[in-house]
């Protein structure tokens, strides 16, 4: 089942496909087939070509570097990239474009939009997210990293943790406490802060699959300018929750494209191991296929709301809960198909460890084992699934709110 795009969008997608054919080398087998150490350079070159060709942020306004098109065009771009076995975006772009860029478009001043957005789009300035703290994960409103206004801007002290790609980033958008006397949801502010300064220390955290994309970030009298407040002082909770909607549901219409390609590779894995005629394996694959179809429909619903100018709202929690729980089931199935081979890392590690591997990836055990391990963390990041269930229960089902401590 493929989305039925409008005639102008279909023409745009054909134009984009021809552009990609001109960019890709002859005999292209897919980005997932590249050697692990060659993938980062390839992804960077592809991103540069997409930017120069005008295919990044196509739904952003033209005055900030986009093409002024619709979210439907953006979905067409993502679908075509996957069709031609190419990655959709880098992890840095998730923070820069999908999360912070979308938030600046919604809450930023005109000066901030012109100052921040072109650099995000070009890739010249990379961003990371400063939300979680050692004692404040799911209870995000309890963050204690403090910012005090001085004559030269805001002075920040505290610690953030699980900060993806901070070691590669130039700036961080951080949720900080600016009014310690206010109720915890009302004394917060979202600040953009440059990372390359003496008051900031970054320490990488190695994960169980061998990579070290997460970090601890320590602020000791770090300074950021007064005009780097996004959405107003002490209005950070409203801005931060809107930003999380972009993280949890902003890509809802394109996520299913990646999961569908991954499921096709799982079917190939079953054939290779002669498990494709096993009735239990076939039933479980059919379950996954039905879930991917449902994921597509949820994505189309989110796209329709976006085209109508409606916020995704609490349904972003549904999308995040749905795909993260699905991915745990799918990777469990991959381990059962591998059998004893799941005990040995053989072949290439994933080029993309966050979610499905890059399109065209091989069926090596190392790729599936690593994806199995990372799928567990998806129930935690972007808001734990327990929190998503609470949001859905209260916001969509209308159930009573949980008692809050005094």
């Amino acid at each position: 089942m493929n989305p039925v795009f409008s005639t102008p969008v279909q023409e745009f997608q054909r134009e984009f496909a021809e552009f990609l054919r001109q960019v890709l080398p002859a005999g292209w087998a897919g980005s997932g087939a590249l050697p692990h150490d060659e993938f980062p350079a390839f992804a960077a070159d592809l991103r540069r070509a997409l930017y120069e060709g005008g295919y990044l942020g196509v739904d952003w306004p033209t005055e900030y570097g986009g093409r002024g098109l619709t979210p439907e065009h953006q979905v067409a771009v993502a679908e075509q990239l996957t069709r031609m076995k190419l990655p959709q975006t880098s992890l840095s772009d998730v923070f820069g474009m999908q999360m912070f860029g979308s938030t600046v478009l919604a809450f930023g001043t005109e000066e901030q939009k012109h100052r921040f957005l072109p650099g995000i789009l070009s890739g010249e300035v990379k961003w990371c997210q400063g939300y979680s703290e050692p004692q404040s994960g799911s209870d995000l409103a309890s963050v204690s990293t403090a910012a005090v206004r001085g004559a030269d801007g805001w002075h920040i002290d505290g610690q953030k943790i699980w900060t993806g790609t901070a070691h590669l980033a130039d700036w961080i958008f951080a949720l900080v406490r600016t009014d310690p006397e206010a109720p915890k949801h009302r004394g917060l502010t979202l600040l953009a802060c440059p990372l390359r300064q003496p008051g900031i220390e970054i320490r990488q955290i190695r994960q169980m699959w061998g990579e070290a994309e997460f970090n601890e970030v320590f602020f000791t009298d770090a300074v950021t300018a007064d005009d780097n407040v996004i959405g107003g002082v002490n209005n950070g909770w409203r801005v931060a929750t809107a930003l999380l909607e972009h993280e949890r549901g902003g890509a809802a219409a394109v996520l299913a494209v990646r999961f569908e390609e991954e499921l096709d590779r799982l079917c190939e894995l079953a054939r290779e191991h002669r498990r494709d005629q096993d009735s239990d394996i076939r039933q479980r694959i059919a379950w996954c296929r039905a879930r991917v179809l449902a994921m597509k429909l949820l994505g189309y619903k989110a796209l329709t709301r976006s085209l109508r100018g409606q916020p995704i709202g609490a349904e972003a929690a549904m999308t995040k809960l749905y795909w993260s729980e699905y991915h745990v089931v799918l990777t469990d199935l991959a381990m059962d198909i591998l059998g004893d081979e799941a005990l040995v890392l053989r072949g290439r590690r994933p080029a993309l460890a966050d979610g499905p591997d890059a399109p065209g990836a091989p069926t090596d055990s190392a790729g599936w084992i690593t994806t199995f391990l990372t799928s567990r963390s998806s129930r935690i990041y972007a808001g734990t699934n327990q929190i998503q269930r609470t949001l859905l229960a209260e916001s969509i089902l209308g159930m009573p709110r949980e008692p809050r401590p005094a």
Side-chain angles (χ1 to χ4, degrees):
M1 179 176 178
N2 292 314
V4 180
F5 295 125
S6 62
T7 300
V9 175
Q10 291 181 43
E11 180 57 37
F12 169 82
Q13 192 175 42
R14 285 191 288 269
E15 165 205 310
F16 180 50
E18 181 57 32
F19 168 82
L20 291 175
R21 281 189 282 271
Q22 299 298 319
V23 169
L24 294 176
W28 175 246
S31 56
L34 294 169
H36 190 271
D37 57 353
E38 293 181 14
F39 182 85
F42 169 82
D45 289 342
L46 174 65
R47 191 197 188 285
R48 191 177 305 110
L50 293 176
Y51 171 70
E52 292 173 354
Y55 292 105
L56 280 184
V58 296
D59 56 341
W60 284 19
T62 55
E63 58 265 37
Y64 312 127
R67 290 180 61 169
L69 301 177
T70 69
E72 189 181 6
H73 289 82
Q74 188 61 51
V75 174
V77 166
E79 183 187 79
Q80 193 61 43
L81 285 169
T82 300
R83 278 183 183 174
M84 299 181 75
K85 299 183 178 180
L86 293 164
Q88 291 180 17
T89 187
S90 69
L91 186 55
S92 293
D93 281 334
V94 171
F95 300 123
M97 292 183 62
Q98 180 181 320
M99 296 170 64
F100 185 68
S102 299
T103 302
V104 171
L105 281 168
F107 293 96
T109 65
E110 277 302 307
E111 187 275 332
Q112 288 172 337
K113 292 174 185 177
H114 284 284
R115 178 157 52 96
F116 289 131
L117 296 179
I120 292 174
L121 205 59
S122 69
E124 295 175 13
V125 182
K126 294 180 172 58
W127 289 78
C128 64
Q129 177 191 29
Y131 273 22
S132 294
E133 297 179 7
Q135 303 301 321
S136 301
S138 297
D139 184 14
L140 184 61
S142 68
V143 296
S144 59
T145 295
V148 178
R149 195 181 233 151
D152 56 346
W154 292 91
H155 291 246
I156 307 173
D157 289 276
Q159 178 189 356
K160 298 293 181 178
I161 197 168
W162 310 119
T163 310
T165 72
H167 59 296
L168 304 174
D170 305 294
W171 283 68
I172 185 171
F173 52 91
L175 188 65
V176 298
R177 188 157 303 283
T178 46
D179 186 351
E181 303 302 321
K184 65 179 184 179
H185 290 82
R186 299 178 187 173
L188 301 171
T189 300
L190 190 71
L191 286 177
C193 177
L195 280 172
R196 308 305 170 191
Q197 57 171 298
I200 294 180
E201 179 187 357
I202 298 172
R203 300 179 190 169
Q204 288 183 257
I205 301 172
R206 187 162 299 279
Q207 293 125 275
M208 62 181 174
W209 53 90
E211 302 294 336
E213 68 184 35
F214 286 120
N215 302 267
E216 297 176 281
V217 181
F218 298 88
F219 300 85
T220 306
D221 198 32
V223 180
T224 192
D226 193 51
D227 58 2
N228 287 335
V229 172
I230 309 298
V233 176
N234 295 332
N235 193 39
W237 183 249
R238 176 170 175 251
V239 180
T241 52
L243 189 151
L244 285 174
E245 287 182 13
H246 293 298
E247 180 184 17
R248 295 169 182 163
V254 302
L255 273 172
V257 178
R258 291 183 63 195
F259 285 113
E260 185 171 45
E261 192 275 341
E262 180 187 50
L263 181 55
D264 289 341
R265 283 191 284 110
L266 183 78
C267 292
E268 179 61 28
L269 182 73
R271 285 189 288 270
E272 289 176 0
H273 287 73
R274 300 180 182 179
R275 302 294 304 277
D276 55 318
Q277 298 305 313
D278 182 306
S279 61
D280 177 64
I281 296 297
R282 290 170 67 88
Q283 286 184 359
R284 292 165 70 184
I285 289 176
W287 183 93
C288 291
R289 189 68 70 182
R291 274 19 182 217
V292 169
L293 175 58
M295 205 182 304
K296 279 190 173 185
L297 296 176
L298 286 171
Y300 299 161
K301 182 179 180 181
L303 175 61
T304 301
R305 292 176 68 91
S306 182
L307 291 170
R308 292 174 177 171
Q310 300 171 339
I312 298 174
E315 290 183 25
M318 184 187 302
T319 299
K320 192 273 175 177
L321 177 65
Y322 193 96
W323 75 255
S324 58
E325 293 291 345
Y326 158 82
H327 207 215
V328 169
V329 174
L330 176 126
T331 55
D332 281 344
L333 176 55
M335 295 300 99
D336 289 344
I337 292 173
L338 283 169
D340 290 345
E341 287 191 33
L343 300 174
V344 181
L345 290 167
R346 177 182 57 80
R348 168 190 165 283
R349 290 181 293 127
L352 300 174
D354 180 21
D357 197 357
T363 54
D364 296 339
S365 66
W368 289 110
I369 292 168
T370 306
T371 304
F372 166 81
L373 294 173
T374 59
S375 69
R376 272 61 195 156
S377 64
S378 67
R379 289 170 160 173
I380 300 172
Y381 65 67
T384 65
N385 284 4
Q386 289 89 339
I387 293 294
Q388 309 311 316
R389 291 184 176 93
T390 299
L391 288 171
L392 292 171
E394 296 177 354
S395 302
I396 294 182
L397 300 180
M399 297 176 69
R401 294 179 65 86
E402 288 189 350
R404 270 32 175 194

